[in-house]
Amino acid sequence: MKSSSELDRMLMAINRRGYPAYKDLRGSYQFPGYQLNIDHVQGDPFAAPSKLSIQVKKSQAGFPEFMYEKRHRRVALQDYLTRKFAKAVAPYLFQAKGSGKSGLISVSRCGQEILERTAFEIQDGNLLVRFEVGFPANGRTINAPELRKILFDYLPQAVRNSLYYKNLKEEDVKKVTDLADDQQAVRDELEKRNLVAFVANGSILPRESGVSQRPMKGAVAFQSPESMEVELNLPHKGLLKGMGIPKGITLIVGGGYHGKSTLLKALEQGIYNHIEGDGREYVITAESAVKIRAEDGRSVSHVNISPFISDLPNGKDTVDFSTEDASGSTSQAANVVEAVQAGAKTLLIDEDTCATNFMVRDALMQSVVSGKQEPITPFTLQARELTETCGVSVVLVAGSSGSYFYIADKVLQMDNYRAFDITEKVAGVIDGTEGEKGEIPISIETVFRNRERVMKVRKMERKRDQIKIKQFGKDSFSIGKETVDLKYVEQILDSEQTATLSYCLKKLLEEMEKKPQNVDRLTETLWKEIQEKGMASLCGGTYLPVSMAEIRKQDIYACLNRYRGIL
């Protein structure tokens, strides 16, 4: 390893040379208290920025072992230090001048969620932070003095301010790991108490705006109905009361704009922990919960949707159903089956984003259009079996049809953002009346018994024997010529999660190109590899080309199910 003095000499030696001479700087350099790695150098000042990383040894970083010994604490600490490092470099953004991306210093942007990211890793107390720097140039001529400012002035100061425990406020760091302990304790209690979610009293659920995830100022704080209130004893916070949503079918009703969808949105994002001050720190949902909606136009490949849709007029097979352009009802049927096959034990559904004919059929419609005239078995008829035989709970937001009342175990009414348990009231109203009727042609449980889903794919396009991946923000990415649209996979919250998923799918498809594969076995193998080796193992190579954030196994399935190259 070279010294920082050698880097300084090398840097001055290439000043005013052509931009490609910057590549001579690749390597590792020892600075006082840390190691700087120049992992990849951009081709010109207008190209994607250079990849750098900083390593701080345990003895220099000085973080107590208890702060990272358990995964939930380590992830929370990594998230906190990523934010601290990003804040520390922010004043130096574009302070080094030049053409194109000269002077850029880019660190992962963390949202309200606490996610494990490749941007920051803690291993046995050693720190590794990855980031990007735009190497300065005038035109395409190296401007070494400006890069020297970044490497020898800006970065050392940022490291001192953010990566050494002795320079941070001890109480602030401890708050982060204490909150992580408490959030994990709530997660552990869900299964023990047969709950699918917990919403603490005092939580602020509404968001600032449609484009901001920060809490709304002046919003009504959440308060649990007494009948659904549970009390938890957390390791640091102590006693915490809130609403426990039990396993089974929970219906959330109420007038428009009274907070039904806001509550469901908080639950769907509660699969991840949130930072202090978010308002939803103690909105905790079972990690396998999946949001279900209609998705007109999506592709569906080899899914058994026969429990919901059968006897189509065109004779199309719904036991092994495929289409390039699904309707609202067929797409939602596929989404339900795929989610359960991916291991989801809770389905989150908002009537507003559903196909009405998939969800419910009232008595009058059944009497007019009946039998083989209607190939759809509504979700309301299959939901009870889904819960009782498959162990899958449902949290459903509804505002238009009374048919949902008949299948609900719990009915929660939202009134001006306040929650009321009206289960007994509803039972009195519907007593003696009949709910939705109809035959269930196929038991949904049979779909998941003795299932083996084998798939093969078309050969992917390559350039110079390489499969090209291109990401389009959070909502989509392409592999070769095929684009995977994730716009309606609503629990993907960060573009770095999409980056992880693109490499996951690439790895799966490379195996499926060779020969048909059992999708479940292949996905489980990949998931185990990620758990054991980390997300960075998906890329290989000498450096990490993209920043990645943690995903769920259900998200991998969601990508594979939306890939249009499956045969």
Side-chain angles (χ1 to χ4, degrees):
M1 186 191 305
K2 299 181 179 70
S3 67
S4 58
S5 299
E6 289 178 273
L7 174 60
D8 196 12
R9 287 194 295 271
M10 294 168 64
L11 189 55
M12 291 300 102
I14 61 172
N15 189 36
R16 297 186 179 178
R17 288 177 55 185
Y19 202 87
Y22 264 141
K23 294 186 182 295
D24 296 342
L25 302 181
R26 283 180 297 191
S28 299
Y29 303 91
Q30 187 62 54
F31 278 69
Y34 66 91
Q35 176 183 319
L36 173 70
N37 306 305
I38 300 176
D39 300 314
H40 172 74
V41 176
Q42 63 205 89
D44 66 64
F46 301 92
S50 301
K51 308 287 184 181
L52 277 66
S53 59
I54 284 173
Q55 293 173 273
V56 184
K57 290 184 177 179
K58 176 181 179 180
S59 58
Q60 293 287 339
F63 288 89
E65 190 171 335
F66 77 86
M67 289 188 169
Y68 54 82
E69 62 182 351
K70 294 183 179 179
R71 183 188 182 273
H72 63 269
R73 290 182 185 172
R74 175 179 58 79
V75 172
L77 180 59
Q78 289 172 176
D79 176 86
Y80 175 74
L81 293 178
T82 304
R83 296 171 194 269
K84 292 294 288 185
F85 185 71
K87 187 175 181 180
V89 301
Y92 307 120
L93 184 64
F94 293 113
Q95 291 303 299
K97 307 301 182 182
S99 311
K101 294 184 174 66
S102 296
L104 172 69
I105 307 175
S106 177
V107 184
S108 286
R109 288 186 176 183
C110 301
Q112 299 295 100
E113 303 78 27
I114 298 172
L115 303 174
E116 182 160 20
R117 299 174 186 271
T118 55
F120 207 111
E121 296 178 9
I122 300 176
Q123 294 186 355
D124 300 323
N126 301 308
L127 312 186
L128 171 64
V129 56
R130 297 183 175 99
F131 55 101
E132 296 179 332
V133 172
F135 282 12
N138 297 322
R140 285 181 170 79
T141 301
I142 287 174
N143 189 335
E146 292 298 296
L147 181 56
R148 192 185 187 285
K149 289 181 186 177
I150 297 174
L151 302 182
F152 289 87
D153 296 333
Y154 305 159
L155 290 181
Q157 187 62 44
V159 171
R160 283 193 294 272
N161 291 344
S162 61
L163 303 184
Y164 297 149
Y165 182 64
K166 64 183 180 182
N167 294 336
L168 301 175
K169 290 183 180 179
E170 182 179 352
E171 61 271 23
D172 289 349
V173 185
K174 192 172 184 301
K175 278 183 184 177
V176 170
T177 54
D178 285 355
L179 176 59
D181 281 343
D182 287 341
Q183 290 169 329
Q184 186 60 43
V186 177
R187 292 194 182 280
D188 294 340
E189 285 296 314
L190 291 183
E191 190 60 35
K192 293 177 186 176
R193 296 174 182 246
N194 285 320
L195 302 175
V196 299
F198 174 82
V199 185
N201 292 341
S203 296
I204 302 299
L205 306 186
R207 298 295 92 188
E208 190 174 60
S209 70
V211 295
S212 171
Q213 284 297 303
R214 291 191 293 269
M216 179 185 288
K217 294 178 180 178
V220 176
F222 182 84
Q223 180 66 40
S224 172
E226 285 188 21
S227 59
M228 297 179 70
E229 191 171 71
V230 297
E231 184 176 271
L232 307 178
N233 190 8
L234 305 185
H236 303 287
K237 190 175 181 65
L239 293 179
L240 178 66
K241 293 182 179 181
M243 181 177 71
I245 298 180
K247 292 182 178 179
I249 301 175
T250 299
L251 183 62
I252 303 173
V253 299
Y257 305 100
H258 280 262
K260 305 186 303 296
S261 296
T262 299
L263 173 57
L264 192 74
K265 178 64 72 173
L267 293 175
E268 73 182 61
Q269 296 185 4
I271 56 173
Y272 298 115
N273 293 341
H274 289 75
I275 59 173
E276 183 180 12
D278 172 77
R280 301 168 297 180
E281 298 94 321
Y282 295 106
V283 178
I284 305 292
T285 307
E287 293 176 16
S288 70
V290 172
K291 172 72 181 297
I292 299 295
R293 59 168 295 154
E295 199 172 341
D296 298 72
R298 67 155 285 196
S299 64
V300 177
S301 300
H302 307 290
V303 179
N304 185 350
I305 61 172
S306 59
F308 297 107
I309 300 175
S310 58
D311 299 321
L312 289 175
N314 58 8
K316 196 171 181 67
D317 183 9
T318 59
V319 174
D320 185 20
F321 181 76
S322 298
T323 181
E324 284 289 311
D325 186 18
S327 66
S329 57
T330 55
S331 66
Q332 193 164 352
N335 285 343
V336 170
V337 174
E338 290 168 345
V340 178
Q341 288 178 338
K345 287 299 180 182
T346 304
L347 304 182
L348 307 173
I349 303 174
D350 191 335
E351 182 190 37
D352 284 351
T353 57
C354 291
T356 303
N357 60 339
F358 172 79
M359 293 298 294
V360 64
R361 293 180 71 231
D362 63 27
L364 180 57
M365 184 61 71
Q366 288 186 50
S367 64
V368 175
V369 181
S370 61
K372 290 190 176 182
Q373 293 175 307
E374 177 52 76
I376 300 175
T377 301
F379 182 79
T380 46
L381 292 183
Q382 286 283 18
R384 178 53 54 191
E385 186 182 5
L386 188 65
T387 299
E388 293 179 354
T389 65
C390 303
V392 177
S393 297
V394 178
V395 180
L396 170 62
V397 166
S400 65
S401 175
S403 296
Y404 300 114
F405 289 125
Y406 293 92
I407 66 170
D409 299 306
K410 277 284 184 184
V411 183
L412 187 67
Q413 180 177 0
M414 297 300 294
D415 184 359
N416 195 24
Y417 287 93
R418 289 178 170 83
F420 300 90
D421 180 2
I422 60 169
T423 307
E424 291 186 7
K425 175 184 176 182
V426 168
V429 171
I430 66 175
D431 185 36
T433 65
E434 293 184 346
E436 190 174 356
K437 289 183 176 181
E439 293 184 5
I440 300 178
I442 298 175
S443 167
I444 196 167
E445 189 267 342
T446 61
V447 174
F448 310 115
R449 193 193 322 129
N450 302 321
R451 175 182 64 96
E452 184 169 298
R453 196 177 177 201
V454 177
M455 288 185 176
K456 58 182 178 178
V457 297
R458 288 194 292 267
K459 190 171 180 62
M460 291 178 285
E461 181 193 59
R462 287 169 167 80
K463 289 186 177 179
R464 301 186 189 90
D465 205 36
Q466 296 293 318
I467 299 170
K468 186 176 181 181
I469 297 176
K470 189 173 182 180
Q471 190 178 340
F472 308 102
K474 177 178 68 70
D475 292 337
S476 65
F477 63 86
S478 63
I479 294 184
K481 286 187 175 181
E482 295 290 348
T483 297
V484 180
D485 188 352
L486 301 176
K487 180 169 52 180
Y488 295 123
V489 184
E490 297 179 45
Q491 288 167 293
I492 297 174
L493 306 174
D494 192 290
S495 61
E496 291 187 4
Q497 291 181 300
T498 308
T500 310
L501 290 167
S502 66
Y503 280 85
C504 284
L505 185 57
K506 175 177 176 285
K507 200 153 190 173
L508 291 176
L509 295 177
E510 286 174 334
E511 291 299 315
M512 294 168 70
E513 260 189 336
K514 299 173 187 176
K515 62 178 182 180
Q517 296 276 351
N518 181 305
V519 172
D520 298 313
R521 195 176 302 135
L522 192 63
T523 305
E524 287 293 339
T525 300
L526 176 63
W527 184 244
K528 185 178 179 181
E529 179 185 326
I530 294 171
Q531 302 308 300
E532 292 177 352
K533 299 180 181 179
M535 293 174 282
S537 66
L538 294 167
C539 295
T542 57
Y543 73 98
L544 195 61
V546 293
S547 294
M548 297 180 171
E550 72 173 280
I551 54 169
R552 302 180 301 157
K553 183 171 60 176
Q554 288 77 18
D555 302 325
I556 300 176
Y557 274 100
C559 287
L560 184 58
N561 290 330
R562 286 161 180 76
Y563 180 70
R564 292 180 178 271
I566 294 173
L567 298 174

